[in-house]
Amino acid sequence: MASILVTGCAGFIGSHLTERLLRDGHRVVGIDNFAPFYNPDHKRRNLATSLSHPRFSLHETDLRHGLDALVDALPADPIDVVVHLAAKAGVGPSVKEPVAYLENNIIGTTHLLEWMRHRGIVKLFFASSSSVYGNTREQPFREDMNLLSACISPYAASKLSGEQLTATYHHLYGLDVLNARFFTVYGPRQRPDLAIHKFVRLLRAGKPIPVFGDGSTARDYTFVLDTVDGISRGVDYLLRHTGFYETINLGNNRPIPLLELIAAVGQAVGVEPQLAFQPMQAGDVDVTYADIRKAQELLGYSPQTSLSDGLQAFVEWLAEVPQPVSVTPYPPHSSAR
Ligand code: NAD
């Protein structure tokens, strides 16, 4: 049994990961600030099973509040690995609120790294994003591509900066690091700002689905339990190896064009979609397409879930959610804390 600290434990991916790590036999120390990007009640519901588990503890704290606040908020017990998922996520909102995104994702990550240094914790799994590839023409995306001028949104820039920070702490303090670039994760508990979640709700309400661009944009949709399996394998890798800095793609290796996705969502819901074509949104990339050979070789990662099975699982989950999950937009110029 190892002790794993999970930041963003109440979110979409973090809550599934917490359940998986507890099932794997680990102790989980969870951090979340229950940010109101979407209704925090849903985050509390995400944690309902884990909260009653004897090997789970929840610490409501905000990474932006700095080292002293983290020292005060977190137990002094040993931690073997940190999985850092907490972030302001999402491309579109980051274009509207760049400072809030950079402050949360870069400064918050720096405070966490300083806390790890303070506590002598040397193993980190960092959640990065496919958005760091921007509109790189060569596909599929490989981890060794030069991305210095690739980012096209503040969110992507914040994630690439996170990778730079973990490289810096690896160099300065010998931190063992696994950066994982996630590719459009979907499934039960998915954030309400993401396409599949929005589409199902629009279809159920009998409303048209907005198609940004001509419908040819494509995403490498990855089912959440496949992503979580990759993270769990990453944690095992961190526990078994020392002296490394690696970056991997956790995608599905099959980009699905937007119109094909909408048709599949329509089938899962049982409603014929009506389309409303609109201009492309600022910051959105054309295609994401993961080369997953490195994750396969390093971790044995192998995503298993078909799009139709994954969509079915999402639709069934959404039917059981008591109230609609609404997005609370950030107030303009919101304070960082
Ligand atoms: P989410 O918003 O559901 O979860 C993030 C959690 O982090 C939230 O519960 C939030 O309250 C918490 N949080 C945010 N800032 C915090 C702070 N300063 N201090 C403490 N807690 C904080 O998002 P998600 O979709 O589960 O994403 C998890 C991670 O994966 C993020 O880093 C995101 O950038 C990354 N990612 C997600 C996707 C995807 O498709 N969902 C794709 C690529 C990368």
Side-chain angles (χ1 to χ4, degrees):
M1 177 179 85
S3 285
I4 318 294
L5 184 130
V6 178
T7 74
C9 66
F12 164 42
I13 301 171
S15 61
H16 284 290
L17 176 68
T18 297
E19 286 170 16
R20 169 66 189 264
L21 293 173
L22 291 169
R23 257 203 323 278
D24 288 349
H26 299 306
R27 177 175 157 255
V28 178
V29 175
I31 301 181
D32 208 293
N33 69 349
F34 293 86
F37 180 45
Y38 56 93
N39 189 342
D41 290 349
H42 292 280
K43 298 183 182 180
R44 297 198 186 277
R45 191 171 306 113
N46 290 345
L47 282 180
T49 320
S50 300
L51 275 173
S52 57
H53 198 290
R55 278 185 275 107
F56 177 67
S57 63
L58 172 65
H59 306 272
E60 292 197 37
T61 188
D62 192 316
L63 296 177
R64 291 169 298 186
H65 293 178
L67 177 62
D68 291 347
L70 286 174
V71 171
D72 287 349
L74 294 171
D77 317 349
I79 299 286
D80 300 300
V81 175
V82 171
V83 180
H84 179 31
L85 301 175
K88 280 192 195 293
V91 167
S94 81
V95 175
K96 296 191 184 107
E97 292 276 349
V99 175
Y101 268 69
L102 298 179
E103 186 153 25
N104 196 83
N105 297 358
I106 300 177
I107 304 299
T109 297
T110 311
H111 288 316
L112 178 71
L113 287 164
E114 279 298 289
W115 175 80
M116 289 178 69
R117 187 162 78 87
H118 171 81
R119 287 285 309 270
I121 301 165
V122 293
K123 291 183 178 291
L124 174 69
F125 183 105
F126 172 66
S128 185
S129 159
S130 61
S131 63
V132 299
Y133 291 105
N135 278 330
T136 298
R137 287 289 149 214
E138 196 186 333
Q139 289 160 12
F141 299 150
R142 281 191 333 274
E143 296 86 347
D144 59 359
M145 286 172 161
N146 179 354
L147 301 178
L148 273 182
S149 48
C151 294
I152 62 167
S153 69
Y155 170 67
S158 79
K159 287 291 170 182
L160 197 58
S161 302
E163 293 186 18
Q164 293 292 325
L165 279 167
T166 62
T168 304
Y169 275 68
H170 168 71
H171 173 80
L172 290 175
Y173 309 115
L175 202 67
D176 292 328
V177 176
L178 198 51
N179 296 313
R181 296 171 180 161
F182 300 163
F183 282 68
T184 319
V185 188
Y186 75 100
R189 304 179 192 162
Q190 191 195 34
R191 298 197 327 261
D193 58 307
L194 292 174
I196 291 173
H197 194 137
K198 281 197 217 159
F199 293 171
V200 172
R201 288 176 61 192
L202 288 169
L203 285 172
R204 288 217 169 122
K207 293 185 179 160
I209 293 191
V211 178
F212 297 107
D214 62 4
S216 65
T217 58
R219 294 287 178 272
D220 202 344
Y221 295 99
T222 313
F223 188 62
V224 63
L225 296 186
D226 288 326
T227 307
V228 162
D229 184 62
I231 305 173
S232 153
R233 287 169 183 273
V235 166
D236 287 347
Y237 186 89
L238 280 153
L239 289 169
R240 284 187 282 105
H241 298 80
T242 49
F244 67 91
Y245 179 88
E246 298 285 358
T247 299
I248 53 167
N249 290 329
L250 289 182
N252 206 22
N253 195 231
R254 191 174 96 80
I256 295 173
L258 182 54
L259 292 181
E260 189 182 323
L261 173 81
I262 293 172
V265 174
Q267 231 168 20
V269 179
V271 172
E272 183 67 35
Q274 306 300 311
L275 306 181
F277 284 88
Q278 296 182 18
M280 280 284 283
Q281 290 182 301
D284 266 352
V285 301
D286 298 334
V287 174
T288 64
Y289 182 2
D291 184 329
I292 57 172
R293 283 174 297 177
K294 184 171 174 189
Q296 271 165 345
E297 281 158 24
L298 212 61
L299 310 180
Y301 169 73
S302 171
Q304 299 293 321
T305 313
S306 68
L307 183 68
S308 57
D309 286 353
L311 288 176
Q312 204 51 51
F314 175 76
V315 167
E316 281 165 20
W317 168 78
L318 195 63
E320 285 168 15
V321 173
Q323 341 103 320
V325 187
S326 62
V327 179
T328 311
Y330 287 111
H333 311 300
S334 57
S335 129
R337 293 188 177 201

